[in-house]
Every structure is written in structure tokens, then in C-alpha cells.
Amino acid sequence: MIFSLAVYAAPYSSQASHTAYEFASALLRQGHTLHRVFFYHDGVHTASSLATPPQDEFNLYQAWSSLAAKYDLVICIAAALKRGILNSEEAVRYDKPAHNIADDYSISGLGQLIEAAITSDRIVTFG
């Protein structure tokens, strides 16, 4: 079965992002396909390359990044810009001194969420 996930919650603000990560890991272990994870609203903070959780806590940023290297993890451009999450192109476009999106994430619009819903057998929302 082909799944896509929509994650609306920031890491560590609630259980939603961690539960979404565990759900993604479980469906991959079961042999299902993960088409896309779309991060929206505060969920875009997941792609920050600057977050540094305490060393004695589960590093949710690192966990999601490990999936981003293999699967299509997309953050919403409008939600990201509103929250100061920028890739290098948007930093140049808005004359900002730096960017902070981890390398393996892509940034795009809501069309990617709609395409994921059309392409996948199930889309599951967290947060």
C-alpha cells in the first residue's frame, strides 16, 4: 500500500511528530511504500538544520533527516517562510543572511500535498 503523511506539529511541541516518525518507520518495516511526508504549519520546524535537542533525548530531527535522505520529505514554502525556515534560494530572494533547512528536505507548495493525496492509497495526518 502507498502511504503519504502530513505532519502539522513541530518536533517536541506534542507527541504528533514523534508518532508520525514511528508510523513511517513501521509502515516501511511492514513493506509498504512511503510516497511523501509533507510538513505543514509548525511541522516545518522539523527541517531546521540548527535545532540541537539535549543529548539524552531522542533526536527527532536526526531521525526525520535519516528518512529524508531516502524518501520525499517536503516542507510547505509558505509555512516555512512565515516561520523563518529558509533554503538558500529563498534566503537570497528575501535578502536574508543565512538559510537553515537541512540538505535532504525539499521546499514546495500545497500542490505537493494534493499530488500525494492523489498518488497514495492513504494519507495520514498527524498534529
Side-chain angles (χ1 to χ4, degrees):
M1 187 173 281
I2 301 170
F3 284 88
S4 286
L5 309 181
V7 181
Y8 295 171
Y12 306 109
S13 66
S14 72
Q15 187 63 33
S17 184
H18 191 267
T19 302
Y21 171 76
E22 292 295 334
F23 185 84
S25 298
L27 73 88
L28 292 169
R29 281 192 305 273
Q30 296 290 320
H32 298 289
T33 301
L34 180 61
H35 174 66
R36 177 170 296 131
V37 180
F38 191 86
F39 295 95
Y40 192 45
H41 292 289
D42 286 341
V44 299
H45 288 289
T46 305
S48 174
S49 63
L50 301 177
T52 310
Q55 293 178 349
D56 62 341
E57 291 183 13
F58 180 74
N59 191 332
L60 195 51
Y61 296 97
Q62 189 175 40
W64 277 116
S65 285
S66 69
L67 284 182
K70 300 175 194 167
Y71 301 97
D72 189 20
L73 273 59
V74 177
I75 66 168
C76 174
I77 188 168
L81 293 175
K82 185 176 181 180
R83 290 162 176 83
I85 307 292
L86 305 169
N87 64 6
S88 58
E89 291 84 12
E90 296 303 321
V92 169
R93 179 178 176 196
Y94 290 101
D95 198 27
K96 299 295 182 182
H99 61 92
N100 57 349
I101 291 181
D103 293 335
D104 293 321
Y105 291 87
S106 59
I107 188 167
S108 191
L110 286 173
Q112 294 295 309
L113 179 59
I114 293 167
E115 188 276 336
I118 293 169
T119 302
S120 303
D121 297 315
R122 298 281 187 274
I123 185 161
V124 183
T125 302
F126 297 88

